[in-house]
């Protein structure tokens, strides 16, 4: 009886329809004015996606199950199911007789859910993770748009502006779903810099996410600046064409990425990994999706942040060879701007996101501590100016060449 009562309570909280009488007359007592998700919750309730619980509350901090989110997506989605036989349905044996079975099957038919992801059953009452949410929604977008489908391919190896990308790393099998969710603003990261792949989404978060999905699903993939940046980095290892007035023209960065440049002082070598630009001309209107990784308001400098000035953040891997490799060995080892840069001074952000930059003290100890057979991968900063950016170029040991110039 207790179990049946709990199930009934869950159904009351999810089944679409008019809001609970208490909510209609005065709102939910646990979602008062000033609540960060109140507008989205009110809209989701008005649209019939969510409903209050029997006691008149919304429970904004409560979790959402797989079955609930599948049902919500099935209701929000405006696409039509492709024709299929009844025999091809019934994707999950553990859904037989479950209240959500028809809507989960609709979510499967619309491309949100891949049955192969759940070989041991759907387990409908399991709280859904934020990664699952990202994958379901972006898969649904891809099922109805060739360009969104291509966006998932383009972002498999992109740099993702969340802490998990740097530590412990996001596997390629998951990266594109997170990237597209972030690039379209379907979802956003937390204030601590994480995406929260394994976190359980709350009902309040879900209301916001549903509102975002409705907006995103009516737009083309190419209309999202952040997604375009992520796609360019994933395919070209830079976002410069999307966000800046610079270009590499007929000598793309991919010519030289991951290729060895031996330092002219023979102290070691370096490889270029990614070259990311942030639009810091107007520090009050920075649009790049990558900006929060590297800069915040404390980085404002009236001399540097003005028309024609951009900041490049360059990911390189250094392979020390000389004993007691020092900062000077790197600084004096190359004349090429595409791999030369200075330390990122904003240590608050380097610690928040968990990436390395050049040291400013105990430099020999730093290179010794972090060196391995894979080298030392870190990020450096470079100020770009439209007046003299043409000096940034790179010729690797095998003669491959790329150079930066104004469009």
């Amino acid at each position: 009886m207790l179990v049946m009562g709990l199930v009934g309570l869950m159904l009351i909280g999810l089944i679409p329809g008019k809001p609970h009488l208490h909510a209609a007359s005065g709102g939910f007592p646990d979602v008062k004015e000033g609540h960060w998700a109140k507008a989205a919750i009110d809209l989701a309730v008005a649209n019939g996606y969510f409903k209050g619980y029997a006691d008149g509350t919304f429970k904004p901090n409560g979790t959402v199950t797989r079955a609930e989110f599948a049902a919500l997506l099935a209701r929000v989605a405006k696409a039509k199911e492709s024709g299929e036989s009844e025999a091809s349905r019934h994707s999950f044996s553990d859904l037989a007789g479950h209240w959500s079975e028809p809507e989960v099957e609709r979510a499967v038919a619309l491309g949100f859910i891949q049955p192969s992801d759940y070989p041991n059953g759907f387990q409908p009452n399991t709280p859904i993770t934020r990664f699952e949410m990202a994958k379901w929604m972006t898969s649904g977008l891809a099922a109805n748009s060739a360009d969104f489908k291509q966006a998932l391919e383009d972002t498999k190896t992109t740099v993702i502006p969340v802490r998990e990308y740097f530590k412990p790393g996001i596997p390629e099998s998951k990266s594109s779903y997170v990237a597209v969710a972030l690039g379209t603003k379907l979802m956003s990261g937390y204030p601590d810099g994480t995406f929260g792949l394994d976190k359980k989404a709350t009902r309040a978060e879900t209301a916001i996410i549903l509102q975002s999905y409705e907006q995103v699903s009516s737009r083309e993939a190419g209309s999202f600046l952040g997604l375009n940046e992520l796609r360019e980095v994933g395919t070209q290892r830079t976002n410069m064409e999307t966000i800046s007035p610079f270009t590499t023209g007929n000598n793309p960065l991919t010519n030289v990425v991951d290729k060895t440049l031996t330092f002219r002082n023979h102290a070691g070598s370096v490889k270029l990994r990614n070259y990311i630009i942030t639009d810091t001309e107007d520090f009050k209107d920075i649009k790049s999706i990558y900006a929060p990784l590297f800069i915040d308001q404390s980085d404002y400098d009236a001399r540097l942040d003005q028309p024609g000035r951009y900041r490049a953040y360059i990911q390189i891997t250094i392979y020390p060879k000389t004993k007691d490799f020092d900062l000077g060995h790197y600084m004096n080892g190359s004349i090429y701007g595409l791999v030369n840069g200075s330390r990122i001074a904003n240590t608050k952000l380097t610690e928040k996101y968990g990436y390395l930059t050049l040291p400013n003290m105990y430099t020999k100890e730093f290179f010794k501590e972090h060196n391995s057979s894979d080298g030392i991968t870190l990020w450096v900063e470079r100020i770009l100016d439209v007046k003299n950016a043409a000096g940034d170029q790179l010729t690797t040991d095998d003669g491959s060449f790329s150079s930066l110039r104004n469009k």
Side-chain angles (χ1 to χ4, degrees):
M1 291 178 65
L2 177 60
V3 170
M4 290 300 293
L6 290 173
V7 170
L9 186 64
M10 178 187 71
L11 288 171
I12 292 170
L14 182 69
I15 293 174
K18 294 181 180 180
H20 190 280
L21 181 61
H22 184 94
S25 60
F28 298 106
D30 54 350
V31 186
K32 297 179 180 179
E33 290 297 333
H35 188 283
W36 62 274
K38 179 174 171 53
I41 290 171
D42 289 346
L43 182 61
V45 169
N47 287 339
Y49 304 144
F50 269 115
K51 200 174 183 184
Y53 285 87
D55 63 359
T57 63
F58 183 78
K59 303 190 189 319
N61 296 323
T63 58
V64 175
T65 67
R66 288 175 182 166
E68 289 172 338
F69 194 63
L72 290 167
L73 285 181
R75 295 165 194 163
V76 171
K78 297 179 175 60
K80 294 182 179 181
E81 301 175 38
S82 58
E84 59 178 344
S85 66
E86 184 66 24
S88 67
R89 300 176 72 88
H90 308 298
S91 305
F92 303 103
S93 60
D94 62 344
L95 278 181
H98 193 273
W99 67 267
S100 68
E101 184 178 16
E103 289 170 304
V104 172
E105 292 295 351
R106 172 169 161 76
V108 171
L110 291 173
F112 291 112
I113 302 170
Q114 307 301 317
S116 59
D117 289 342
Y118 301 97
N120 299 318
F122 188 63
Q123 300 175 32
N125 298 324
T126 300
I128 193 168
T129 66
R130 281 171 53 84
F131 170 71
E132 286 178 293
M133 280 186 159
K135 184 171 186 179
W136 290 12
M137 290 188 293
T138 55
S139 295
L141 293 172
N144 288 282
S145 165
D147 199 21
F148 271 114
K149 184 177 181 180
Q150 186 60 50
L152 287 176
E153 289 296 316
D154 292 345
T155 53
K156 284 184 176 180
T157 59
T158 195
V159 176
I160 304 177
V162 294
R163 182 178 175 85
E164 292 97 328
Y165 172 81
F166 301 97
K167 289 183 179 181
I170 300 176
E172 192 173 310
S173 61
K174 293 184 176 182
S175 59
S176 58
Y177 303 109
V178 177
V180 174
L182 289 170
T184 56
K185 296 185 179 179
L186 271 173
M187 301 174 75
S188 57
Y190 288 103
D192 65 357
T194 64
F195 181 80
L197 281 79
D198 297 323
K199 280 191 174 182
K200 309 302 188 289
T202 67
R203 283 166 58 86
E205 286 179 304
T206 302
I208 294 279
I209 289 168
L210 287 176
Q211 186 175 25
S212 298
Y213 182 82
E214 284 192 289
Q215 296 169 354
V216 172
S217 61
S218 65
R219 293 174 57 180
E220 299 293 327
S223 67
F224 297 96
L225 176 66
L227 182 56
N228 291 339
E229 286 186 83
L230 290 161
R231 293 176 73 173
E232 188 185 353
V233 172
T235 56
Q236 302 299 315
R237 310 296 278 273
T238 181
N239 63 338
M240 70 175 70
E241 298 286 350
T242 300
I243 203 71
S244 82
F246 307 111
T247 183
T248 52
N250 295 324
N251 300 297
L253 211 66
T254 50
N255 285 355
V256 294
V257 162
D258 298 333
K259 295 184 177 180
T260 298
L261 168 68
T262 299
F263 290 137
R264 58 182 180 172
N265 53 22
H266 303 291
S269 61
V270 64
K271 289 182 180 179
L272 174 63
R273 301 303 188 185
N274 290 284
Y275 193 95
I276 290 175
I277 295 178
T278 57
D279 50 327
T280 52
E281 288 187 297
D282 181 354
F283 222 73
K284 295 180 180 178
D285 189 30
I286 299 176
K287 299 181 175 67
S288 174
I289 194 172
Y290 288 107
L293 270 182
F294 304 112
I295 52 177
D296 61 21
Q297 198 60 40
S298 68
D299 293 297
Y300 175 75
D301 186 327
R303 300 168 302 167
L304 302 178
D305 307 304
Q306 54 186 279
R309 293 291 183 94
Y310 290 72
R311 298 189 190 206
Y313 295 90
I314 312 168
Q315 188 186 39
I316 57 175
T317 301
I318 297 173
Y319 299 88
K321 181 179 178 182
T322 296
K323 184 180 179 182
D324 294 330
F325 187 93
D326 205 348
L327 183 60
H329 290 118
Y330 161 70
M331 300 298 291
N332 299 318
S334 168
I335 61 172
Y336 295 119
L338 289 182
V339 291
N340 287 3
S342 58
R343 175 176 177 270
I344 297 174
N346 196 328
T347 55
K348 182 173 69 173
L349 292 180
T350 61
E351 292 172 0
K352 176 179 179 178
Y353 288 99
Y355 58 85
L356 290 177
T357 188
L358 293 170
N360 67 338
M361 296 176 63
Y362 309 110
T363 58
K364 291 181 181 179
E365 291 79 1
F366 171 88
F367 287 106
K368 184 177 181 180
E369 175 188 353
H370 293 285
N371 194 19
S372 71
S373 59
D374 296 324
I376 306 166
T377 298
L378 45 78
W379 291 82
V380 295
E381 181 185 56
R382 188 170 181 83
I383 303 300
L384 300 179
D385 193 318
V386 293
K387 298 176 183 178
N388 56 22
D392 283 0
Q393 55 184 282
L394 174 60
T395 301
T396 56
D397 290 357
D398 66 356
S400 299
F401 174 75
S402 183
S403 64
L404 196 68
R405 60 179 176 82
N406 296 331
K407 292 177 184 175

